[in-house]
Amino acid sequence: MEVKMIFYKKISKTGQVNLPKEICTELNLVDGEYLFIYKYQQSVVIEKQHENVTFNQCILRNGKISIPVELRKLTDITQNTLLEVQSNKSDEKIIITPVKDKLFSEA
C-alpha cells in the first residue's frame, strides 16, 4: 500500500494555492504545465490528464495553481479556510479538501 502525502495550506487572496515541492516532484509536474481542475464531492481535484477535456484547466506557475472562483464557491473555500492537500502517486491526482475549522480549534 502506498502512503499518501498530506500537507496543510491556505489559499491566497487571489485564489492561489502553493503546491508542496514534494507533490510536484512525485507527480512529475512541470512549471507551465496545464492541469485539469474540477470539483468532486466537497473537494477540488487536479490531474495531469482527464478523459473529459471540457473540464476547467489551470496552469502551474512557480509551484502555484489558481483555483477558479466558481470552484471555491462550490466547495466553500475562502481565504480563511485551511486546506488539506494530498496526493498519491498511484492516483496521479492532487486532492484539495477544506478542513472544518472546529476540528483544529479543538486540537
Side-chain angles (χ1 to χ4, degrees):
M1 181 170 78
E2 197 167 344
V3 177
K4 292 182 181 182
M5 288 190 181
I6 299 175
F7 299 87
Y8 294 94
K9 298 285 184 176
K10 286 208 172 194
I11 196 164
S12 72
K13 291 179 194 177
T14 58
Q16 292 185 326
V17 175
N18 190 18
L19 298 178
K21 185 176 182 177
E22 295 88 345
I23 288 179
C24 292
T25 301
E26 177 185 54
L27 299 180
N28 298 316
L29 300 179
V30 179
D31 196 47
E33 185 169 25
Y34 283 92
L35 305 169
F36 289 95
I37 185 167
Y38 59 95
K39 178 184 180 285
Y40 178 75
Q41 296 177 350
Q42 284 305 103
S43 299
V44 173
V45 179
I46 302 165
E47 295 184 74
K48 287 178 89 167
Q49 298 178 18
H50 197 277
E51 61 191 32
N52 187 342
V53 294
T54 64
F55 280 159
N56 284 334
Q57 287 188 317
C58 61
I59 190 166
L60 181 68
R61 288 274 184 232
N62 299 320
K64 296 178 183 178
I65 55 106
S66 292
I67 298 176
V69 69
E70 300 86 9
L71 289 178
R72 286 184 268 153
K73 287 180 181 178
L74 288 171
T75 53
D76 294 325
I77 293 174
T78 67
Q79 191 178 353
N80 296 321
T81 307
L82 188 62
L83 303 173
E84 181 180 272
V85 179
Q86 62 178 299
S87 75
N88 185 327
K89 189 172 183 175
S90 63
D91 291 8
E92 295 187 337
K93 295 179 185 176
I94 299 167
I95 301 171
I96 300 174
T97 307
V99 178
K100 301 295 179 204
D101 291 339
K102 71 176 196 174
L103 294 176
F104 281 89
S105 63
E106 293 172 0

